[in-house]
Amino acid sequence: MEAEEMDVNPEEESLLGHSPPRRTKGGLKTMPFIIVNEAFERLASQGLMPNMILYLTRIYHFQTVTASSILFIWSALSNGLALFGAFLSDSYLGRFRVIFLGSISSLLPLSCDQLKHKCSAPNGAQIIPLLSSFLLMSVGAGCIRPCSIAFGADQFDNKQNPNNERVLETYFNWYYASTGISTVLAMTVIVYIQDHLGWSVGFGIPAILMVFSALMFLIGSSLYIKAKPSESLFTGFFQVLVAAFRKREIQYPLDEEYKCYHRTRQSKLLSPTEEFRCLNKACVVQDPDTELTSDGLASNPWRLCSVEQLESLKALLKVIPMWSTGLVLILTMDQGFLTLQANSMDRHLFSNFEIPAGSFSLFMIITLTIWVAFYDRVLAPLLARYTGNPQGLSPIVRMGMGLIMSFIAMVLAGVVESIRLKKAVEEGVEDDPDAVLDMSAMWLVPQTVCIGLAEALNAIGQIQFFYMLFPKSMSSVGVAMYTFGMALASLIGSLLVNIINSITSHGGKASWLASNLNEGHLDYYYWLLGFLNLINFFYFLFCCRFYKSPHNSNMLSKKVPEKESGYAPLPSA
């Protein structure tokens, strides 16, 4: 996106120690409005997620499988719409308008309590507002999350400032610190309020926070640098596919008179690579008179694409196998059954303090945070002495370690659930879904710690792997791919629980995922996930055979001669 030119910037002097070039808009004065908007949106949405499965099963009386499917689809929409929000802001509306749209969308949802009648048996009048609320919240999250951090960076991105990178780094640190604090508060304070003051208050507070979030964002409107939308990278990907299809009649080997199109004369790519060579047709100039303008640009980008666009798409296609290895791990993390298990166990940490059932996911976040800090400050420098890699362990090694931890987490989950079921039989409460067993819920902590380690190792390693393989112009695609993976994994999770429920309940038998956990076999479900994680690890090892070290994978090695006028000859195949 192209930022508007501003002439002043008085806010960064205290941070930098000297006066940078001055601008009238942007700078530190905009940060409270942007960070509060993102932090309160995350506080509101994250505060709803942990206890939502209890709300759906207790208030709406959904079956456990139905409630889990709804939450999976909600997660899929929130993450999938983040890609749409990023595309919309980059290509059409700009980040400010998209964030404002998301803030308004998050204010609209209704809850069952607002319908003024009990939800003893969910009907259309109750389900439609519920599903509409989930959709609106997904739209809000999809608009705010991908745009907020980039919109904040726009306020500091001053190329004339010699300390521009340090200013941006400081902003990113504060941004992630605020979102981390918001998540912790959501899983503790908001969840505690829902447990002790009821759903009306527990859902009302997030609604108030979203109102305050939208107002804060709008109050700072006159202070913002509002970048103009430009061409989206994802649009370029689709243009390559369309152009290659429209030129499908071109035959291999290519004739020597064919030339390939470059957007700029200083392109580092002389000709397209041979990988996925069927796509190379997209950059072939068949008729320069009709396909190129007088200044050497493509007259129709949906029929002629540059080599740079083509190779960016190829870079994306090449990492898809490695990206797919993270789907099972994301599916493992995205489980609502943990809350149901904790709710059936003794959650007293002290005699007068009980941990809310929805707060047990907090152990995963705490583990992730501690590990990232420990690895960055202690372990990585120590390992760098022996590996010669400044990162300590390569991204691929960390990804593999994360998959192993995910497998261990599901093994532990299966063992703990087997013990819990045995305890329910011993206490004679198999038929009581609301029974609280004489078994500490702290048994659930080891599996959540392992899941936190798995995410810290695999997710961060995967994003770094993408960054190292992609050209700089695709630096944002790595995060987008992980976000899309979360959406796809949630859809797979919804499909999986419904298939398991259908198969295991055949013939009138109790489903593995029965609403009464004491009658079901959630442990079998965890064993199945453990088996899928094991198979996935071997699939990961297979994929590793096809990847070179990212340090040696520099495709952009050939330069176009400076005298070329926008296109260069293609080598014969």
Side-chain angles (χ1 to χ4, degrees):
M1 300 180 73
E2 300 175 358
E4 295 179 353
E5 294 184 1
M6 299 295 167
D7 32 15
V8 185
N9 177 17
E11 298 294 335
E12 298 166 10
E13 182 175 355
S14 60
L15 178 64
L16 300 175
H18 66 276
S19 298
R22 302 178 67 82
R23 300 181 297 175
T24 55
K25 295 189 177 183
L28 292 175
K29 61 179 174 290
T30 64
M31 286 305 97
F33 306 102
I34 296 173
I35 290 181
V36 165
N37 174 260
E38 163 65 15
F40 278 23
E41 184 279 329
R42 193 171 293 269
L43 180 60
S45 59
Q46 295 282 2
L48 295 177
M49 177 63 82
N51 270 343
M52 186 56 70
I53 194 166
L54 296 178
Y55 180 71
L56 295 178
T57 54
R58 290 178 178 179
I59 305 301
Y60 275 86
H61 297 283
F62 282 123
Q63 297 295 314
T64 300
V65 171
T66 304
S68 296
S69 296
I70 291 174
L71 295 183
F72 273 128
I73 294 173
W74 180 25
S75 176
L77 277 175
S78 298
N79 289 297
L81 288 175
L83 296 179
F84 176 74
F87 170 77
L88 193 65
S89 67
D90 287 348
S91 303
Y92 296 103
L93 299 182
R95 296 185 181 114
F96 174 80
R97 293 178 181 176
V98 171
I99 294 174
F100 174 70
L101 175 65
S103 300
I104 297 300
S105 177
S106 299
L107 296 176
L108 301 178
L110 297 171
S111 70
C112 178
D113 297 332
Q114 291 172 302
L115 298 177
K116 299 181 180 180
H117 53 76
K118 295 182 179 180
C119 297
S120 56
N123 53 47
Q126 298 164 333
I127 294 177
I128 290 176
L130 175 73
L131 299 182
S132 299
S133 297
F134 284 133
L135 177 61
L136 290 169
M137 285 187 287
S138 294
V139 171
C143 289
I144 294 175
R145 292 179 187 177
C147 301
S148 180
I149 187 169
F151 185 68
D154 289 342
Q155 313 308 311
F156 288 110
D157 194 11
N158 182 7
K159 303 302 183 184
Q160 298 177 348
N161 182 0
N163 293 282
N164 187 58
E165 290 186 6
R166 185 162 69 87
V167 174
L168 286 173
E169 182 179 356
T170 300
Y171 159 67
F172 288 137
N173 290 339
W174 280 104
Y175 182 90
Y176 284 115
S178 68
T179 56
I181 293 172
S182 299
T183 302
V184 171
L185 290 176
M187 292 190 172
T188 53
V189 177
I190 301 297
V191 170
Y192 185 86
I193 290 173
Q194 291 168 357
D195 280 4
H196 291 81
L197 299 180
W199 299 111
S200 296
V201 177
F203 287 172
I205 290 178
I208 293 173
L209 291 176
M210 280 309 306
V211 171
F212 188 67
S213 170
L215 288 176
M216 281 291 290
F217 184 72
L218 286 178
I219 289 173
S221 175
S222 62
L223 303 176
Y224 302 141
I225 294 174
K226 299 171 184 176
K228 300 176 182 178
S230 59
E231 181 182 356
S232 168
L233 186 62
F234 290 98
T235 302
F237 293 158
F238 286 111
Q239 288 173 343
V240 171
L241 295 175
V242 172
F245 178 77
R246 296 178 70 174
K247 294 187 176 183
R248 61 191 181 278
E249 73 281 355
I250 298 178
Q251 300 296 323
Y252 281 95
L254 296 171
D255 295 333
E256 292 185 3
E257 68 267 15
Y258 282 140
K259 299 181 183 297
C260 56
Y261 167 64
H262 294 275
R263 182 170 296 177
T264 64
R265 298 183 180 182
Q266 300 301 321
S267 173
K268 295 181 180 180
L269 280 170
L270 179 60
S271 60
T273 59
E274 283 298 299
E275 298 167 307
F276 304 104
R277 71 175 192 174
C278 61
L279 298 175
N280 290 354
K281 303 173 184 180
C283 69
V284 172
V285 180
Q286 289 179 290
D287 185 0
D289 294 334
T290 59
E291 292 185 328
L292 295 175
T293 62
S294 58
D295 52 0
L297 299 178
S299 57
N300 182 0
W302 293 93
R303 185 169 180 82
L304 178 63
C305 299
S306 67
V307 177
E308 294 75 24
Q309 284 178 284
L310 172 64
E311 292 303 319
S312 292
L313 176 59
K314 288 183 179 182
L316 176 65
L317 294 176
K318 284 190 290 187
V319 301
I320 285 179
M322 190 63 80
W323 163 80
S324 66
T325 63
L327 294 178
V328 175
L329 185 145
I330 297 173
L331 174 62
T332 300
M333 295 188 303
D334 197 7
Q335 298 295 327
F337 299 109
L338 178 68
T339 301
L340 296 177
Q341 288 177 282
N343 195 60
S344 69
M345 303 167 75
D346 181 10
R347 293 176 279 113
H348 284 89
L349 190 60
F350 307 108
S351 58
N352 57 349
F353 177 74
E354 187 178 49
I355 302 175
S359 295
F360 275 80
S361 297
L362 184 63
F363 291 103
M364 179 179 70
I365 297 171
I366 292 174
T367 301
L368 187 152
T369 304
I370 293 175
W371 169 259
V372 169
F374 173 74
Y375 182 84
D376 183 63
R377 297 298 179 183
V378 180
L379 196 56
L382 183 63
L383 291 172
R385 299 177 185 176
Y386 300 97
T387 63
N389 187 341
Q391 296 178 339
L393 298 174
S394 69
I396 289 181
V397 171
R398 279 179 281 155
M399 290 165 64
M401 292 174 62
L403 296 182
I404 293 174
M405 292 305 304
S406 179
F407 167 71
I408 294 174
M410 289 300 96
V411 171
L412 290 175
V415 170
V416 171
E417 177 60 13
S418 297
I419 296 173
R420 195 198 67 82
L421 287 174
K422 183 179 179 181
K423 193 72 174 177
V425 173
E426 291 176 353
E427 296 183 9
V429 294
E430 305 100 308
D431 299 327
D432 185 3
D434 299 321
V436 177
L437 304 178
D438 185 19
M439 177 180 177
S440 174
M442 300 305 289
W443 278 78
L444 300 172
V445 172
Q447 69 194 59
T448 59
V449 169
C450 287
I451 292 175
L453 281 174
E455 183 179 10
L457 288 164
N458 185 272
I460 297 176
Q462 189 176 90
I463 292 174
Q464 288 183 345
F465 176 76
F466 294 153
Y467 268 64
M468 296 173 73
L469 281 183
F470 288 161
K472 188 174 182 180
S473 61
M474 295 178 62
S475 58
S476 62
V477 176
V479 176
M481 290 186 69
Y482 185 76
T483 301
F484 179 70
M486 294 176 68
L488 183 58
S490 295
L491 291 177
I492 295 172
S494 176
L495 180 63
L496 181 63
V497 296
N498 279 281
I499 291 175
I500 291 174
N501 181 67
S502 177
I503 294 176
T504 59
S505 62
H506 184 71
K509 296 181 293 184
S511 168
W512 287 3
L513 307 177
S515 295
N516 180 0
L517 293 185
N518 299 329
E519 290 182 346
H521 267 291
L522 186 58
D523 53 339
Y524 293 172
Y525 174 68
Y526 285 139
W527 293 125
L528 176 61
L529 287 181
F531 177 72
L532 292 178
N533 274 279
L534 183 61
I535 296 298
N536 184 58
F537 177 70
F538 287 111
Y539 168 61
F540 167 80
L541 295 179
F542 175 76
C543 291
C544 287
R545 298 175 57 191
F546 300 96
Y547 291 93
K548 299 178 182 179
S549 171
H551 298 288
N552 301 324
S553 59
N554 182 15
M555 299 182 301
L556 310 181
S557 57
K558 298 180 180 179
K559 278 194 175 183
V560 174
E562 294 185 5
K563 295 182 179 180
E564 289 292 341
S565 57
Y567 57 95
L570 275 171
S572 57

